[in-house]
Amino acid sequence: MTTTSNVLELLERTQNGFVSGEQMSHELGMSRPAIWKHIQKLKTQGYVIESSKRRGYRLLAKPEQIDVQAIVARLMEQQSSLVSGIKYFESVESTQNIAHNYAREGAPSGTLVIANEQTTGRGRLGRGWLSPIGKGIYMSMVLRPQIPLQFAPQLTLLTAVSLCIALREVTHLPIGIKWPNDLLIHGRKISGILLESASDEDQIGHVIMGVGISVNLTQEDFSEALQPIATSLRIENKDEPVSRIEVIVTFITVFERYYELYKREGFAPIRALWESLSVTLFKEGSFASMAADRVQGTPIALLDSGALVVRQADGTELQIYSASAILE
Ligand code: BTN
């Protein structure tokens, strides 16, 4: 057992009551400054611990654990059949890598990899994804859609639509989609989607749908550079924690609904939903494209290819594509 777990164990034994620094130091054979350090570490992991100079420390709340049994039970209640199996890890480099490995070994569509922490979470365009322990949702699902490769961007937009609807349902917060697939609350990013396709000739072999959601991160979890552009559900929810299990189950059931709709009716209904949830359409801005460096103008439409049509000041229209990773 690590010393932080020893400190936690002692706090749990005396839950609802205080345990003095002196008693802890005596029982655990540690100096009081060392105990203070472990308490700070537990706080960064989401434990709520009251400290009083006179009385010591008291454990008030524990972070919600990702309980796989509870997720499976809730999905069954919702008569959901999308998820074929859940692989849960306490800590991984990136759930994307693990899901790719499962897919290459033949894992069925619907295999879902969830982690409590990522040490090198990956974002789009070679960026990282902040993934502190116990605070966010880091998950990647294996999908095996029967669609040509050029339609892969539609799946990204479908994921963004589903995530936006699910997060609105759970939190009632004003969440919108910024093209292509960022979700924003009051202009700050709340989640990220990373769709990676492995191609098999011109058909998609498998897709890994990676979703990262900043659920219970606090202001201190974000670096100074990230604070103006990123936020969490908890910060936007008046500092009230949000259940990760609730968010995972709601996202999966909403995604399943729209994935079925997409398979039945194609992209048109998804595009209509994307347009209604978009905070990008008809708003002038500057857009990063794969072909040109940046395009300045007003987005006027979303095409079946997933491209955004941007009208420039001189009236010319440009189609811009987001960079999506094609592996293998
Ligand atoms: C983005 O840049 O907006 C996309 C971020 C995607 C992050 C998620 S977290 C789960 C999965 N594992 C990763 O390493 N990345 C994705």
Side-chain angles (χ1 to χ4, degrees), residues 252-326:
I252 288 169
T253 49
V254 173
F255 177 80
E256 182 169 6
R257 189 189 315 149
Y258 292 116
Y259 192 42
E260 290 304 318
L261 180 68
Y262 173 72
K263 286 196 268 185
R264 268 196 328 269
E265 294 181 25
F267 188 55
I270 307 303
R271 183 186 24 221
L273 284 164
W274 188 92
E275 287 175 350
S276 70
L277 298 167
S278 161
V279 293
T280 308
L281 272 185
F282 312 117
K283 289 213 187 79
E284 224 222 295
S286 163
F287 301 89
S289 84
M290 272 208 299
D293 284 347
R294 284 201 92 76
V295 173
Q296 181 74 29
T298 308
I300 53 166
L302 180 74
L303 302 180
D304 277 0
S305 59
L308 193 68
V309 182
V310 177
R311 184 174 291 149
Q312 296 173 287
D314 63 4
T316 54
E317 289 174 10
L318 268 184
Q319 294 180 14
I320 60 170
Y321 292 84
S322 72
S324 67
I326 311 281

Side-chain angles (χ1 to χ4, degrees), residues 94-96 118 121-124 129 138-140 182 189 192-194 210-212:
S94 158
T95 54
Q96 290 293 100
Q118 293 186 122
R122 294 197 274 115
R124 288 174 60 236
W129 184 257
Y138 321 114
M139 61 184 183
S140 301
D182 286 347
K189 182 160 163 165
I193 295 166
L194 183 64
V211 174

Side-chain angles (χ1 to χ4, degrees), residues 24-136:
M24 285 185 119
S25 154
H26 179 73
E27 279 203 33
L28 303 173
M30 255 186 252
S31 70
R32 288 172 70 163
I35 288 172
W36 184 85
K37 269 201 198 137
H38 291 295
I39 297 278
Q40 298 316 306
K41 185 163 172 206
L42 288 168
K43 283 185 179 174
T44 65
Q45 292 174 4
Y47 289 88
V48 183
I49 299 165
E50 186 183 346
S51 341
S52 147
K53 270 218 168 88
R54 219 163 39 83
R55 296 195 285 172
Y57 301 103
R58 174 161 71 153
L59 179 61
L60 293 178
K62 298 182 201 176
E64 179 201 38
Q65 302 301 314
I66 294 182
D67 177 347
V68 173
Q69 307 288 353
I71 295 176
V72 171
R74 290 284 314 282
L75 288 173
M76 279 171 74
E77 243 171 61
Q78 304 284 326
Q79 301 187 329
S80 165
S81 57
L82 178 75
V83 173
S84 52
I86 298 181
K87 316 279 186 194
Y88 175 78
F89 297 87
E90 262 313 306
S91 180
V92 295
E93 286 181 354
S94 158
T95 54
Q96 290 293 100
N97 304 350
I98 310 244
H100 275 296
N101 289 342
Y102 279 122
R104 285 190 199 106
E105 287 163 8
S109 191
T111 301
L112 178 63
V113 177
I114 307 179
N116 202 28
E117 175 188 43
Q118 293 186 122
T119 50
T120 44
R122 294 197 274 115
R124 288 174 60 236
L125 310 166
R127 299 189 189 117
W129 184 257
L130 180 65
S131 314
I133 185 164
K135 297 199 171 176

